[in-house]
Amino acid sequence: MTMKLVLVVVVEVACLVSGILSFGSETLSELSFLENDVVSTTRPSSSSQLQPQPQPQPLMVDLTLIHEADSKGAVCLDGTVPGYHLDRGFGSGADSWLIHLEGGGWCNTIRNCVYRKNTRRGSSKYMENQIPFTGILSNKPEENPDFFNWNRVKLRYCDGASFSGDSEDESAQLQFRGQKIWLAAMEELMSKGMQKADQALLSGCSAGGLASIIHCDEFGSLFGKSSKVKCLSDGGFFLDAMDVSGGRTLRTLFGGVVQLQDVQKNLPKSCLDQLDPTSCFFPQNMIEHVETPLFLLNAAYDVWQVQASLAPPSADRLGSWNECKSNHANCSSSQMQFLQDFRNQMLGDIKDFSSSSQTGLFINSCFAHCQSERQETWFADDSPLIEDKPIAVAVGDWYFDREVVKAIDCAYPCDNSCHNLVFNFK
């Protein structure tokens, strides 16, 4: 008999909305940096696996600060220098590099950014000295079959605009220098051996997944034509979608980010020739302007977008979506239809993108967010599958040109391999 096992896990989610009602109209972005919140996940399990199996301890990797960055104006919101975690490659991967951009939402007002600069999402003073490398960052072949022995880097996120802003607010003592952080980090890593890379992959989760799209061609330009260079966006395909009240909550947030942090200076000119800067910050309008091979990994029912974009408290003042947002099993038929329409919009927005031979897709019908960083979703015995292929294998097949990968799941509830996130709203 098939049973469901519920585990408590720590996940990288760009915005969890526990306690969201207490912050008023600016709640969305004030809480949009919160990650590593404890939630639970339902996952498939056989009757012989009623107890969770012990997991090996992950590799812990030290924080390295880019001390020369401040002389280049490349600083976090509070003026401290940015940082990264690097685990050196070995063997056949010694000259291959994986750069993973951390996620953590955005700040779109002075108030939100001031709040954020006193956290690890706005200051290196608050960053952990060590973090675990799991999933796509793991150094174990049984956990990360294609990239385990590469040079693996996690670039910390402390600017609030997906590494793309370049401005300041002197009165609030805020530095919006995401673009400069990106450039300083790349210069630092090139000096540490990345300039010799024969293979390179830029990846990112959530706001970092959006950043991997924004910087994909810049990343590709760092290397010669003989190098294989590609990009992966995980949980970063944020849609300009209508919320449950008929408004556009995420467009309002993105508009604030773009204006406050002067993001338009670093968006594709070919997009800006056709659309306004806020529209060009949305991946659905940006991907057609990316020339470097790009892979989109996304849940069709992305829980961050459901909670913070489709049905935030500002659009659902009576809380009629609270039960559905906490657990998809509690959604009514009309709520589920709304989410199916969201999935259909996502599939429509990637239709032209998917027709290119160099692009890759893994769009599963799960209630999840950021599936490359968590070991159980990236590569494990019970990882999510599309046509019997886990995410890590799909990404590897695409990167190494072993197969064309255009994996799009059937609609919910057909996929019983999902690790669906369940939230406990206070």
Side-chain angles (χ1 to χ4, degrees):
M1 179 177 67
T2 300
M3 300 183 68
K4 290 281 187 179
L5 178 66
V6 178
L7 297 178
V8 175
V9 295
V10 175
V11 296
E12 288 269 335
V13 177
C15 174
L16 300 179
V17 289
S18 174
I20 199 165
L21 293 175
S22 61
F23 285 92
S25 61
E26 293 188 309
T27 312
L28 175 61
S29 48
E30 283 190 354
L31 294 185
S32 64
F33 60 85
L34 294 179
E35 298 192 357
N36 292 333
D37 291 58
V38 176
V39 297
S40 62
T41 177
T42 58
R43 66 187 180 98
S45 176
S46 68
S47 58
S48 62
Q49 294 178 311
L50 296 181
Q51 296 298 321
Q53 300 300 306
Q55 298 298 315
Q57 290 299 308
L59 174 72
M60 300 299 293
V61 181
D62 292 337
L63 175 67
T64 300
L65 296 178
I66 309 175
H67 291 292
E68 302 78 17
D70 55 354
S71 66
K72 303 166 187 173
V75 291
C76 300
L77 288 172
D78 70 336
T80 55
V81 295
Y84 63 90
H85 304 256
L86 163 63
D87 186 49
R88 288 285 185 177
F90 57 92
S92 62
D95 289 326
S96 299
W97 286 74
L98 168 67
I99 310 301
H100 187 76
L101 304 179
E102 184 178 34
W106 309 269
C107 61
N108 66 327
T109 68
I110 294 296
R111 180 187 175 203
N112 296 338
C113 292
V114 168
Y115 189 88
R116 184 183 180 103
K117 78 174 183 177
N118 294 311
T119 74
R120 61 194 173 97
R121 292 291 175 262
S123 171
S124 58
K125 289 190 300 186
Y126 302 100
M127 291 177 184
E128 306 91 331
N129 290 325
Q130 287 188 329
I131 62 170
F133 268 26
T134 58
I136 197 171
L137 293 171
S138 172
N139 66 335
K140 302 177 179 66
E142 65 272 20
E143 296 180 347
N144 189 22
D146 283 307
F147 309 108
F148 71 95
N149 64 349
W150 286 29
N151 297 279
R152 288 155 290 104
V153 179
K154 186 165 189 175
L155 180 58
R156 299 305 294 270
Y157 178 39
C158 64
D159 64 273
S162 289
F163 298 92
S164 64
D166 191 6
S167 63
E168 65 180 327
D169 189 292
E170 292 185 10
S171 61
Q173 297 182 308
L174 286 169
Q175 295 290 321
F176 305 122
R177 304 299 183 187
Q179 178 70 19
K180 285 185 166 65
I181 292 172
W182 160 261
L183 293 172
M186 293 305 103
E187 183 177 347
E188 166 104 343
L189 295 171
M190 292 294 275
S191 73
K192 292 200 168 186
M194 195 168 73
Q195 81 278 5
K196 298 187 299 182
D198 52 18
Q199 300 180 126
L201 176 62
L202 176 66
S203 69
C205 154
S206 193
L210 172 56
S212 69
I213 299 173
I214 294 171
H215 292 295
C216 186
D217 285 340
E218 282 184 85
F219 186 68
S221 70
L222 296 173
F223 306 95
K225 292 184 177 180
S226 62
S227 300
K228 178 188 282 289
V229 184
K230 298 187 179 185
C231 307
L232 164 66
S233 173
D234 174 16
F237 198 75
F238 300 98
L239 294 187
D240 186 4
M242 188 176 294
D243 62 39
V244 296
S245 71
R248 292 191 179 271
T249 299
L250 192 56
R251 169 165 276 273
T252 300
L253 185 145
F254 274 12
V257 173
V258 169
Q259 182 174 6
L260 180 66
Q261 301 211 28
D262 250 0
V263 169
Q264 67 272 11
K265 294 189 293 190
N266 300 305
L267 296 175
K269 185 179 183 301
S270 54
C271 182
L272 295 172
D273 288 342
Q274 303 171 19
L275 299 169
D276 64 273
T278 300
S279 294
C280 289
F281 197 59
F282 278 96
Q284 66 202 69
N285 301 316
M286 198 186 309
I287 52 176
E288 66 181 90
H289 303 279
V290 177
E291 297 180 358
T292 306
L294 173 63
F295 190 104
L296 298 178
L297 163 61
N298 232 89
Y301 313 97
D302 183 286
V303 293
W304 187 91
Q305 295 188 67
V306 172
Q307 292 181 9
S309 173
L310 298 183
S314 59
D316 178 36
R317 297 191 181 279
L318 298 179
S320 60
W321 275 78
N322 286 352
E323 289 297 314
C324 176
K325 288 190 299 184
S326 67
N327 187 339
H328 66 280
N330 298 328
C331 295
S332 68
S333 58
S334 62
Q335 288 171 332
M336 202 64 239
Q337 185 56 56
F338 188 88
L339 298 180
Q340 299 291 18
D341 292 342
F342 174 76
R343 171 183 177 270
N344 290 338
Q345 181 185 341
M346 181 181 293
L347 297 186
D349 287 339
I350 61 174
K351 186 175 180 180
D352 290 342
F353 172 85
S354 67
S355 65
S356 169
S357 60
Q358 68 177 12
T359 61
L361 292 170
F362 194 100
I363 309 295
N364 54 0
S365 290
C366 302
F367 288 79
H369 184 67
C370 285
Q371 299 177 89
S372 66
E373 296 181 343
R374 294 171 55 204
Q375 191 58 56
E376 60 266 32
T377 49
W378 175 247
F379 192 69
D381 289 343
D382 64 344
S383 291
L385 306 172
I386 299 181
E387 295 180 354
D388 296 325
K389 184 175 292 190
I391 294 168
V393 174
V395 173
D397 284 349
W398 167 79
Y399 181 87
F400 291 103
D401 302 310
R402 295 190 293 247
E403 288 185 21
V404 174
V405 180
K406 311 285 187 182
I408 299 178
D409 219 348
C410 49
Y412 175 85
C414 72
D415 190 340
N416 61 8
S417 71
C418 289
H419 291 232
N420 292 313
L421 297 178
V422 176
F423 300 84
N424 181 24
F425 293 115
K426 301 296 184 183

